[in-house]
Amino acid sequence: MAKFTLNGVEREVPDGINLIEAALLFGVRIPHYCYHPGLSPEGNCRMCAVEIEGIPKLQTACTTLVADGMVVHTESEKVIRERTEVMEFLLRNHPIDCPICDQAGECGLQKYYMEHGLHDSRVAVEEKILKRKRVDLGPLVVLDSERCILCSRCVRFCDEIAGVRELVLANRGGRSEITTFPGRTLENPYSGNVIDICPVGALTSKDFRFKVRVWFLKTAGSICPGCERGCNIYIEQYQNEVQRIRPRANLDVNRWWICDDGRLDYKWINRDRLLRAEGEAGAHSPERADEEAARILREAGSVLLVASPRSSNENLFALKRFRDAALPRAALVGGSFRKPWEGDRILKRPDRNPNRKGMEILGLSGDLEGALRKAPDCVLVVENDLLGDRPDLADLLRGKKLIALASNRDATAEKAALRIPVCTYAETEGSWTNFEGRTQAFHPVLKAVGESRPVFRVLEGIARALGASLEWSDFGALREETFQAAPALGSLSPSPGGGAHAL
């Protein structure tokens, strides 16, 4: 541990941390642009300059480690004057386009200008150096060079995290700018992270550009469903439609990053939703749908219940309890035919199912294709697009009564004799257990669309129609019973709340 004095108060911090991190431990925020905890420090923006007694010149807090006996001032007259001058320098050529900038509302320049600038510009608009606008850097990112303050976070991210040299600082003096290497584009699988870590509006997302002002967004912490890593994310919605996904910092899972596939894995939540229960005779109310499902299951000679490694632990447990309470002779097996994608050394895992581990712990994994080939009369599929993942199974399922509990009009739901709408993970509570055995909770950010219900509520209704007793007072009761029945799920991991944006 190191003892130092911060703004007149003696403090003790762990060895080896810089002054920005040390001050933050005690609620003292030192302004900065180029520093990011996930990247190597550069000290090029000079915003984090602090006064250290015994050293004649101001020092950058991001590159200075705390040392025993150090006396640091972050709010002295000398420091405040330095910040004001740095702000004036950074804004010298900055365009006055906040009203049309996607970063407005979460911009570091706006924030620090209000805190440390508040000066009148000494440069006329016509004297500003003009640079390239709307530069297409790659599939996901657009650059506005005039807004860039050359903090180089994006360049360091590509070099140090993505492991590719795609961005570089080119030219000199006032003409310096970020650009791609000749003949290359910004297209690494993690390119979207440069948008999150850009402290100004220089790098913006093609996907989110001009969609909605950020202050209208409602945000909730969640878990990425893209693969079995379970990266922590924020889902942001406007008028009950998901507008974008951003990484949520969790040093034990995904640090500050997510892959581009995870970032864009939300559009299915907004489109092709199943809004009402539908059967061969037309639309059904929720109660009528439960009764119809019960009738089909009751009349079937043999029944197969299909679980999914995309379902939450709670929904998987509810399905297991449903089988035991209402259909004790039915077979129950979980699995997925979803094709794996290419994993990498950073975050992406080959298995695209977020809860394979949880399904294994709950004892539901099995030979799904073998179970289907045993020719059951009726197949009840829960959150599992069998035919979308394996179209060749259509022959195998032909002639069987298919009941689908699905959120979208996927291939399986379209072929089902009865399809009942259920909530997506963004509309309900639940938990997934990632490949390392870490169980993480997700929370609703959207209202359920149409007549969608949580899976466990649908199973309760069908069980009731079958004359079985299956009911939970609320989701908390279901979760408690789930974790008691499967102690190997462990306890829910803490849910950190840091974002990649944070200055």
Side-chain angles (χ1 to χ4, degrees), residues 251-268:
L251 299 187
D252 295 323
V253 180
N254 53 294
R255 305 189 72 205
W256 295 269
W257 327 117
I258 55 172
C259 67
D260 290 350
D261 288 315
R263 183 181 299 274
L264 299 176
D265 188 19
Y266 70 86
K267 299 184 179 180
W268 60 273

Side-chain angles (χ1 to χ4, degrees), residues 267-286:
K267 299 184 179 180
W268 60 273
I269 299 173
N270 297 337
R271 69 187 178 210
D272 297 330
R273 293 297 301 274
L274 190 57
L275 302 178
R276 295 198 67 189
E278 298 171 0
E280 292 170 337
H284 297 303
S285 67

Side-chain angles (χ1 to χ4, degrees), residues 24-335:
L24 201 56
L25 292 176
F26 305 102
V28 177
R29 189 167 49 85
I30 299 177
H32 56 274
Y33 288 118
C34 68
Y35 175 70
H36 186 286
L39 304 173
S40 60
E42 276 217 338
N44 66 44
C45 75
R46 317 307 292 179
M47 270 301 284
C48 68
V50 295
E51 189 172 1
I52 301 176
E53 290 186 9
I55 301 178
K57 292 185 178 179
L58 297 180
Q59 302 295 303
T60 50
C62 66
T63 58
T64 305
L65 300 181
V66 176
D68 252 339
M70 185 178 275
V71 179
V72 182
H73 302 279
T74 67
E75 301 294 334
S76 67
E77 183 181 343
K78 195 174 177 182
V79 170
I80 298 298
R81 185 171 63 249
E82 171 83 358
R83 285 179 196 160
T84 303
E85 291 172 354
V86 168
M87 282 304 303
E88 184 176 11
F89 176 74
L90 293 176
L91 289 167
R92 189 214 179 275
N93 293 312
H94 196 80
I96 314 299
D97 63 356
C98 296
I100 60 164
C101 178
D102 263 349
Q103 193 84 358
E106 53 187 10
C107 173
L109 276 176
Q110 284 183 330
K111 178 180 175 63
Y112 289 155
Y113 173 77
M114 299 305 292
E115 292 178 359
H116 306 286
L118 294 177
H119 58 272
D120 293 326
S121 176
R122 289 182 280 179
V123 181
V125 172
E126 56 273 16
E127 293 176 355
K128 291 178 179 284
I129 296 174
L130 303 181
K131 293 182 181 177
R132 298 183 299 162
K133 309 284 281 186
R134 298 181 299 280
V135 183
D136 187 351
L137 290 185
L140 204 58
V141 184
V142 176
L143 166 69
D144 185 320
S145 281
E146 288 183 353
R147 296 176 186 162
C148 181
I149 61 170
L150 303 174
C151 71
S152 81
R153 279 184 176 186
C154 54
V155 176
R156 283 176 284 150
F157 174 83
C158 290
D159 290 353
E160 298 170 11
I161 307 300
V164 291
R165 304 211 69 185
E166 291 178 336
L167 293 179
V168 64
L169 273 167
N171 303 327
R172 293 182 176 181
R175 302 288 175 185
S176 298
E177 63 177 343
I178 298 290
T179 187
T180 53
F181 277 94
R184 301 199 65 169
T185 56
L186 179 61
E187 56 183 359
N188 70 75
Y190 294 84
S191 66
N193 291 285
V194 302
I195 301 163
D196 303 319
I197 61 176
C198 178
V200 296
L203 298 172
T204 52
S205 164
K206 287 182 181 177
D207 180 62
F208 182 67
R209 198 171 162 86
F210 305 132
K211 265 186 175 178
V212 60
R213 305 305 294 190
V214 296
W215 49 84
F216 291 129
L217 296 173
K218 294 181 179 176
T219 302
S222 191
I223 306 298
C224 178
C227 77
E228 59 178 348
R229 169 76 63 180
C231 292
N232 288 208
I233 57 171
Y234 288 115
I235 299 179
E236 298 187 316
Q237 63 96 356
Y238 176 63
Q239 295 186 339
N240 213 41
E241 282 199 359
V242 180
Q243 301 297 323
R244 69 175 178 180
I245 284 178
R246 291 187 295 115
R248 182 164 54 101
N250 186 329
L251 299 187
D252 295 323
V253 180
N254 53 294
R255 305 189 72 205
W256 295 269
W257 327 117
I258 55 172
C259 67
D260 290 350
D261 288 315
R263 183 181 299 274
L264 299 176
D265 188 19
Y266 70 86
K267 299 184 179 180
W268 60 273
I269 299 173
N270 297 337
R271 69 187 178 210
D272 297 330
R273 293 297 301 274
L274 190 57
L275 302 178
R276 295 198 67 189
E278 298 171 0
E280 292 170 337
H284 297 303
S285 67
E287 296 76 16
R288 181 74 186 87
D290 295 344
E291 292 169 1
E292 180 64 8
R295 183 191 65 77
I296 295 172
L297 292 167
R298 193 183 296 117
E299 293 177 355
S302 58
V303 174
L304 172 64
L305 308 179
V306 177
S308 168
R310 297 182 65 76
S311 290
S312 68
N313 290 315
E314 293 80 2
N315 283 343
L316 290 170
F317 176 74
L319 183 60
K320 199 172 177 180
R321 288 272 287 107
F322 170 79
R323 191 276 306 273
D324 296 343
L327 298 167
R329 290 192 297 174
L332 170 58
V333 64

